Amino acid sequence: MSRLFETRPGDDGLPGPERRLAVLALILGTLMAVVDTTMVNIALPSIARSLEVSASRVVWVTNLFQVSCAAFLLVFAALSELLSRRRLYVAGVAVFALAALGSALSTSLESLLLFRALQGLGAAATLSIGPSIYRQIFPTRLLGSALGLSAMVVAGGYAAGPAIGGLLLSVADWPWLFALHLPLGAVAVVLAWRALPRESARPGGFDWQGALLSVAMLGGFFVAMDGLGHGMPVWALVAWLGSSLVAALLFLRRQRRATHPLLPLAIFAERRFSLALAAQGSAFVGQGLAFVALSFLFQQQMGFTPLETAWLFTPWPLAIMLVGPLAGRLADRVNPTLLASLGLTLLMVGLAALARLDAEAGVVEVLWRMALCGLGFGLFQPPNNRELIGSVPAARSANASGAMSTSRTVGQSLGVALVGAFLAAGVAVQATLWLGALTTLIALLFSLLRVPLAAARGE
């Protein structure tokens, strides 16, 4: 870990000692957004009872946060060039924390949903540019190690969220889950303002037409994916998907003509970036699908309680936390595409092994399969993220970061929606896990295509 803060002659990025506070600011902001997602899920039944609303309505406390966050990822990544990443990150954390306070003080579902949407906007501002700020902070020689640290933080947040939520709910009411973000947000704002790199804002205008089309495109897609998993009528599903497709076509047309495009299509000309993005999206379909499908498998078919199910999930994020930093460090020394491909192979084997579980399988049989999946994903993500951020010019790293965050969110949401659609159609849970193994195989094929491209550059 100490090598991340050493300074060598010729290093780009911040001097070694200045990296510590900057990284701490990023870690706090990321943890707030990631922990919130899983922590609030635990509180939904309590919120429903307190506000006297049905379970079908209270799920929008989570859904609206996710939709508003996902729909604005590309917008904020582009806006960071106009405002600077430091200012946007500080604003995003501040909005998230203040909206969390509003959520804690809400006495009706309507006001809670309003503040949750604002929290989603704040999270989008931080998550869309986080990886590109790591590139600003660290020299190129340490980019993989830095992104490995980021992967560890995200995995730790997802793992800790349910435990933090359960612990707080055992001693306090649900509003305290949101109030917790206020002191953390205040510290993160101060650190980010003092420590994040300063940069000049890009002169020129902003692609407002592209921004509106991007929100329509992504918002429509995520509403459709949520509806697919929750039995939305076919006509409504087709309408949302159709509107999303039309917005996507208009968005692409706009990006070819805009003076300052929201998402410069030129970055996709770099094959290493495009293949890494495709590999990430496909892999996150598999992971998103598995996380939901396994909950049904463990509880409905294998008879585990919700608490036991939570513990059975632990090896997956724990393995990512342990392997991620090592994989990132190795990615700075050897061909990162080889490491990513090895990780996808392990993830695919792990998902196939989980799909073969039967109702009589024991705890040990579950745990080693979950650990294998986490090992594979932890070995894949940091090297792949290094390819995503490092294969484009530094001036385009914010755009690459936005595309990266969007691909991850789209993939995960599609995986969750597919599980809901399969279960509604009466398909066995094991079949959905086989589908996850298949999407991981597709990710592996994308990853293998870029191995010679990275090798040709001497990596």
Side-chain angles (χ1 to χ4, degrees), residues 51-418:
L51 300 182
E52 298 180 350
V53 296
S54 65
S56 61
R57 294 184 66 199
V58 81
V59 295
W60 278 99
V61 171
T62 297
N63 291 352
L64 194 57
F65 173 88
Q66 293 174 337
V67 170
S68 64
C69 177
F72 281 86
L73 289 170
L74 289 178
V75 173
F76 284 128
L79 195 59
S80 70
E81 294 184 326
L82 204 61
L83 301 177
S84 86
R85 279 168 278 194
R86 172 171 163 268
R87 290 192 182 97
L88 182 66
Y89 190 88
V90 169
V93 174
V95 168
F96 182 91
L98 291 174
L101 176 61
S103 296
L105 297 175
S106 294
T107 56
S108 68
L109 180 63
E110 291 73 18
S111 63
L112 178 57
L113 291 179
L114 172 62
F115 286 113
R116 287 296 286 165
L118 290 174
Q119 276 192 273
L121 292 179
T126 59
L127 296 177
S128 64
I129 57 174
S132 70
I133 298 179
Y134 274 100
R135 185 172 182 178
Q136 281 186 302
I137 294 172
F138 289 95
T140 303
R141 65 181 178 85
L142 294 174
L143 183 58
S145 299
L147 294 173
L149 174 64
S150 175
M152 181 184 71
V153 170
V154 171
Y158 276 119
I164 294 173
L167 180 62
L168 282 176
L169 289 175
S170 67
V171 296
D173 293 331
W174 63 265
W176 286 99
L177 296 181
F178 298 108
L180 176 68
H181 294 305
L182 193 61
L184 294 177
V187 174
V189 163
V190 173
L191 288 177
W193 186 254
R194 289 185 55 191
L196 292 187
R198 288 163 170 78
E199 60 182 341
S200 300
R202 170 182 61 76
F206 181 72
D207 182 16
W208 291 106
Q209 292 183 43
L212 292 174
L213 289 170
S214 171
V215 171
M217 170 182 69
L218 294 172
F221 174 81
F222 285 107
V223 171
M225 290 302 97
D226 179 74
L228 181 62
H230 293 89
M232 177 183 285
V234 175
W235 66 266
L237 184 63
V238 171
W240 280 110
L241 285 176
S243 64
S244 177
L245 178 60
V246 170
L249 295 175
L250 293 174
F251 175 76
L252 292 175
R253 181 183 179 187
R254 171 65 185 173
Q255 298 314 288
R256 295 188 182 99
R257 300 181 176 184
T259 305
H260 298 289
L262 195 80
L263 179 63
L265 300 182
I267 64 175
F268 296 100
E270 171 54 64
R271 290 190 64 205
R272 289 170 63 188
F273 173 80
S274 297
L275 290 170
L277 197 68
Q280 176 186 256
S282 301
F284 269 94
V285 172
Q287 178 176 261
L289 185 152
F291 274 20
V292 177
L294 288 171
S295 294
F296 287 95
L297 177 64
F298 293 158
Q299 295 181 54
Q300 293 187 356
Q301 293 193 22
M302 302 180 71
F304 291 107
T305 66
L307 181 60
E308 290 168 339
T309 297
W311 284 111
L312 290 175
F313 271 100
T314 303
W316 191 313
L318 184 61
I320 296 176
M321 291 177 62
L322 295 174
V323 175
L326 176 61
R329 187 171 181 175
L330 287 174
D332 290 326
R333 301 180 179 184
V334 301
N335 188 333
T337 60
L338 289 174
L339 293 173
S341 300
L342 175 59
L344 288 170
T345 301
L346 296 178
L347 176 61
M348 180 179 65
V349 172
L351 289 173
L354 285 168
R356 291 176 59 85
L357 285 172
D358 56 39
E360 306 303 320
V363 171
V364 174
E365 295 177 84
V366 173
L367 292 180
W368 74 259
R369 288 167 167 84
M370 297 294 284
L372 181 60
C373 288
L375 176 65
F377 206 85
L379 195 57
F380 159 73
Q381 196 174 10
N384 195 70
N385 288 354
R386 189 186 192 281
E387 279 286 279
L388 280 166
I389 296 298
S391 62
V392 299
R396 294 300 185 193
S397 60
N399 301 115
S401 179
M404 170 181 163
S405 300
T406 302
S407 169
R408 178 180 65 236
T409 310
V410 167
Q412 191 134 341
S413 297
L414 180 57
V416 171
L418 287 173

